[in-house]
Each structure stands twice: as structure tokens, then as C-alpha cells.
Amino acid sequence: MDDWIAGDPDPAARAELRSLPDAELADRFAAPLTFGTAGLRGPLRAGPNGMNVAVVTRATAGIAAWLQAKCLGGSVVVVGRDGRHGSAVFATTAAEVLAGAGFSVVLLPGPTPTPVLAYAVRALRAQLGVQITASHNPAGDNGYKVYLDGGAQLISPSDREIETAIAAVGPAAAVPRSTVEPAAASTLRADYLARVAALARGRDRDLRIAVTPLHGVGGSAVVDALRAAGFADIHTVGSQFAPDPDFPTVAFPNPEEPGATDALLELAAAVDADLAVALDPDADRCAVGVPTPDGWRMLTGDETGAILGDHLLSELPAGTDPLVATTVVSSRLLARIAAARGARFARTLTGFKWLVRAGEGLVYAYEEAIGHCVAPDLVRDKDGISAAVVVADLAATLKAHGRTVPDVLDDLAVEHGVHATAQVSLRFADPTGITDAMTRLRGRLPTELAGEPVTADDLSTRRGQSRTDAVVLTGRRVRMVVRPSGTEPKLKCYLEAVESVSGRDDLSRARSAAADTLRRGTLFARSLVTP
């Protein structure tokens, strides 16, 4: 503890740690941040289990040593950042540590959407990309996201190897650093936006779009991409457009959170828009809103995933052998769409680090948490900006033919059945409660869910990359996946109800029946918190 404090290069952090009461100080040193979803993420605070200059310094030094051990010393690395508190100094720290270790560092200028960083790693053939971001976490958090050669997120066993290398790093203040100037306004952003704009292959551009970046860094990029694609009628939520690390108008800067898109939908209704788009703060996720006879509503990630998957498969030339992919917690509708389109389908564990590695010929991947990879050859990760362009392209084409996005959802339901989904998040004050709940579930695996027989598949008993801490309950018309959250003290339950449809006149009945199944499944999910 004393050695860490003495070796912290930030005098403010040293003073903070020395001023803490013993109990709080012990908490700060209880355990270091560990590599989770492709990197580090945690609260902005001094000590080994917070995001601060010392942690970023040692993490970067460990990664540098890991690359050098693989004979990749001196290679090109790219560093970017979002607009959060601490992001600028953390990005500079990472860049200077990498330069001090002899790497050729490209420090992207200013706040940058995460997809642009992922694109830059691929475009520059870099061996490493580091993006300082906490994605859609609350304002008090920050993070350190790692991309490897090819622009895909870090996976095991590399993460464990890097953790070992970090543990071997000495005091942060002793880590060599070399000054790095941010790259001059380069063509990287322009190249990325031009390639994203080219994803809009339709001819129709009569579409009014409402957009919000939720105080994040994607506002100007998504507007520029849409305009470059030919969409001129764009309206933005002014109070949320400029990057603001405090996220003052939303309780949580996540488009999926209740109330987060209220301002967007109000704007869309006021300007009589055809489409609404919300990005999360680092612009790697895209939520879509559409008008309906009952007013505006946001689509679920599964609904957007289905319409994008169907749209992208329909555009492929004959003779291709495409692959589409989604995750174990997402809807099964994409699998049915792929079969009908003659495409291959893959289901992976949660996270784009797995989705983009689903197999050869990947043309589209999504996860229910509003993440979409519409151009794997461009960005090997979820990308809210390119997804927004492709959704706008589809919506404009539909409008020109007198149709809407909800019409497509109806078409898919008639052809493949209603696939209604819902998520139940159970928060625990004590993380051990999550472990206890999973233990209880495994001890008495249910044979019935929502009045239907189900079979249970405990994914923790599998081998290899398909092994994870999750239980899947599957019936003919109902499915539920139960798993601990990877980033929050929550137990998450992903529900899906499927109802066959005999025609458009049967849609209302089928959706009502599916909603009832979800309601009963939700009651079971909530019972998991009871010992």
C-alpha cells in the first residue's frame, strides 16, 4: 500500500489516498481492476481498483511488455479517447508510456468515437489500439478498451497474459514515458466516414431524421456520415449534442434506460420525423425509434437486429455464402431469417469480441444490447454510426414505396412467427447474492416455464469458448437465459416468447399471447432473488 502511494505519479492521487480513513483505504486496495469486457472499467478514484493515472500507466506498461514478448516491439499502436472526465490525461498517459517503450504511437486528436479507433487499428495495420472510454456507464466511471491486430477486441487468454504482465510492473512513477504529440487532423476520420456513407446503397434519400448522441462524442460524426450518404433533413437534440462528461439531461447515458430517449422522441414528434436515432456516449451502439399509430417508440435491439439482418442479406449478390451471427442471449429470429435467405447462422457468447470471430464470410452481427456490426470488413466491432446510416438507407427505401419499419416487423412476424423479447435485471447490494442465486437455480433446474415444458442447459459445464456462467431454459414457445452481468452487480434474465402467426389478421392475437408468456416468465425471473 505504502509503495503504491509513493509510486503514484499523480500528486493529487497521492494526497487523496493519504487522506482516506483506514476502512476506505483498505477498500481501494482490496483488489485491482481486472480485464473484463475487452479491458478495464471502473470508478474515477485513486488506488489499484479505480481508474487513475497510476492504473493506466501500469496497465499500458504491462501491455507494452506483453507485445514485446511476442516480438512486436516498435510496431504501430493507436490511442484514442472519448469526452469523459479523465479521458484526455489517460489517453496522453497511455500514448507516452507506449512511446517510452519504443512503439510508434498514433494519438488521435480530440474526442473520438470508439468505432473510429477500431477502424484506425485496422486501416493502419496496427498491432494494438487503446480507447479510453466507459461507453454508456455513469459519469463517475471511465475505462480502458483494448483492440488487437485486425481491430477486434481483446479476448482470452491474451487478457490473462496481460494481467500477469501488469502485475510484474513496478511503481507507476518509474515507468518510462516519451512525449507524444496528437496526430494532425488526418484522413482517418474522413476515410472512415466516406466508407460508412457508401454503405447506403439505395437511391432514395427523402427521410427526416432526429438524432441524439446523448452528450457523447458521436454527434458530429453521425451527422457528417448521414449527410455524406445524402441525407440532408437531419434534426439534432441541441441540449444533448455537444460532448459533456456530466451527462446533465439523463440519469444514465444509455439509450436503453427508461427516459434516456425522451428528448429524442419529443423532437422526432415535433418535427414530424420518419426515423429517430440515439447513440450511446462513445457511439458504438445505436438505438432506433419509429413512429407508430400509437405514437413514437424505440425498437428493441432484437427488433433492429432482425430488420438489419434481413435487409443486409437481401442486398447480397447471388452465389455468396454469407454468415450472420448473434449471441446466446439474443432472439432466435435471426436464425430463422438466415435459413430463409440461404445464409449460415452462428450463435456466440455475449460480446462483440466473440461475434466478430463467429466465422468466415461474416456480413452482419448484433447483440440485443443495441450493438450492430453492419460492415465487419470496415469495423470489427459494434458501430453505432454505420448502423445509423444503414437503418436510414432502409427507412428511406421503405418510405419511397409507401412502407415503414413497423411494416417490415409485421412481415417478419407473419413469415417466421412473433418473437417477443424482454429483459429482467435483478440488482444485488452484495455481489455474493448473485452467486447464491445461480447456485440455487442450478440446484433446482426448472422443468417448466410460463406453463410450458423446458429443458435446461448449464453453459458452465461446456468446454472451450462456449463455456460461460449462464443457464438456458428452452421450450417450444418460450426461452430464458439467466446470467450474471459482466459489468454491474446484477443478475440478468433474457426472455423470449414465440408465437406462430397464420396471417396479418392473426398478428394482434399472437402478440398478445407472446406478451402474456413474457409476463409469466418475468414473474419466474423475479423469484430468483428469493432464497
Side-chain angles (χ1 to χ4, degrees):
M1 186 181 299
D2 290 338
D3 289 343
W4 175 282
I5 296 174
D8 193 318
D10 183 356
R14 294 197 300 271
E16 177 186 343
L17 291 172
R18 286 169 175 154
S19 70
L20 294 175
D22 290 345
E24 175 66 13
L25 190 63
D27 177 64
R28 299 289 184 94
F29 284 83
L33 290 183
T34 57
F35 272 78
T37 305
L40 302 169
R41 195 178 297 184
L44 288 160
R45 62 182 189 176
N49 64 1
M51 280 296 298
N52 52 70
V53 170
V55 164
V56 170
T57 298
R58 296 184 73 255
T60 308
I63 290 172
W66 177 75
L67 287 171
Q68 289 166 336
K70 293 181 176 295
C71 300
L72 295 173
S75 56
V76 174
V77 296
V78 188
V79 179
R81 67 173 177 91
D82 65 11
R84 286 176 176 268
H85 292 296
S87 287
V89 68
F90 294 162
T92 298
T93 298
E96 291 186 350
V97 170
L98 288 164
F103 290 88
S104 177
V105 182
V106 178
L107 176 59
L108 299 181
T112 301
T114 293
V116 176
L117 181 282
Y119 169 76
V121 173
R122 194 167 177 82
L124 297 176
R125 298 182 180 179
Q127 292 297 326
L128 176 77
V130 173
Q131 176 78 346
I132 304 299
T133 180
S135 188
H136 55 273
N137 275 38
D141 290 353
N142 213 325
Y144 185 105
K145 193 171 186 178
V146 179
Y147 292 86
L148 299 182
D149 178 28
Q153 293 180 26
L154 176 74
I155 60 171
S156 293
S158 297
D159 50 1
R160 303 284 83 86
E161 294 170 357
I162 289 173
E163 282 190 334
T164 299
I166 294 171
V169 175
V175 173
R177 293 173 59 161
S178 295
T179 301
V180 177
E181 293 297 327
S186 68
T187 62
L188 277 172
R189 183 180 186 274
D191 290 346
Y192 164 80
L193 293 176
R195 294 192 62 182
V196 166
L199 297 174
R201 299 185 175 94
R203 297 181 178 180
D204 302 293
R205 293 294 181 266
D206 178 19
L207 195 74
R208 182 167 296 164
I209 310 169
V211 173
T212 181
L214 287 183
H215 301 293
V217 297
S220 62
V222 71
V223 169
D224 289 349
L226 288 166
R227 286 178 176 160
F231 298 100
D233 196 354
I234 303 171
H235 301 255
T236 62
V237 179
S239 63
Q240 299 176 339
F241 193 76
D244 188 329
D246 292 318
F247 308 109
T249 69
V250 291
F252 296 97
N254 180 352
E256 292 184 293
E257 289 287 338
T261 58
D262 285 357
L264 171 69
L265 297 185
E266 289 172 7
L267 172 66
V271 302
D272 194 25
D274 302 299
L275 184 73
V277 171
L279 303 182
D280 73 338
D282 70 330
D284 65 353
R285 301 184 191 220
C286 174
V288 177
V290 295
T292 75
D294 298 321
W296 279 83
R297 78 171 181 93
M298 300 302 293
L299 301 183
T300 67
D302 283 317
E303 288 175 323
T304 304
I307 63 170
L308 282 176
D310 184 65
H311 172 62
L312 291 169
L313 287 175
S314 71
E315 287 195 322
L316 294 175
T320 59
D321 183 25
L323 170 70
V324 293
T326 190
T327 71
V328 67
V329 302
S330 302
S331 170
R332 292 170 289 180
L333 179 54
L334 184 61
R336 296 192 179 187
I337 292 170
R341 293 285 188 183
R344 291 175 292 126
F345 171 79
R347 188 179 299 279
T348 74
L349 298 183
T350 56
F352 271 84
K353 61 184 179 182
W354 303 117
L355 281 171
V356 299
R357 294 177 170 93
E360 293 296 324
L362 183 69
V363 297
Y364 175 64
Y366 92 92
E367 61 183 0
E368 54 78 38
I370 60 174
H372 307 277
C373 177
V374 298
D377 290 341
L378 178 67
V379 173
R380 294 191 69 202
D381 194 13
K382 54 187 178 291
D383 181 352
I385 298 168
S386 60
V389 169
V390 174
V391 169
D393 185 38
L394 170 59
T397 300
L398 290 170
K399 182 181 178 182
H401 291 82
R403 287 168 51 76
T404 65
V405 168
D407 289 337
V408 174
L409 291 173
D410 287 349
D411 293 344
L412 293 173
V414 170
E415 183 178 359
H416 305 292
V418 167
H419 288 64
T421 58
Q423 183 187 136
V424 178
S425 292
L426 307 171
R427 184 177 289 275
F428 287 74
D430 183 352
T432 60
I434 298 174
T435 302
D436 293 342
M438 292 298 295
T439 299
R440 289 195 303 271
L441 176 63
R442 289 185 168 107
R444 294 187 61 182
L445 291 171
T447 58
E448 181 180 289
L449 177 63
E452 179 177 337
V454 293
T455 57
D457 185 5
D458 184 353
L459 302 190
S460 69
T461 64
R462 293 187 177 183
R463 294 184 177 182
Q465 292 185 345
S466 63
R467 181 176 181 174
T468 190
D469 185 7
V471 172
V472 183
L473 307 174
T474 306
R476 186 177 64 86
R477 295 183 301 115
V478 67
R479 182 173 183 265
M480 184 168 75
V481 182
V482 183
R483 61 180 283 269
S485 169
T487 58
E488 300 176 276
K490 291 181 179 180
L491 189 66
K492 290 191 172 183
C493 306
Y494 304 83
L495 291 152
E496 181 174 35
V498 180
E499 287 286 336
S500 59
V501 180
S502 60
R504 287 190 177 273
D505 292 342
D506 192 38
L507 275 172
S508 179
R509 178 212 60 81
R511 285 179 170 144
S512 178
D516 183 63
T517 298
L518 290 180
R519 180 188 60 79
R520 289 184 288 167
T522 296
L523 292 175
F524 171 81
R526 296 196 181 282
S527 73
L528 296 175
V529 299
T530 305

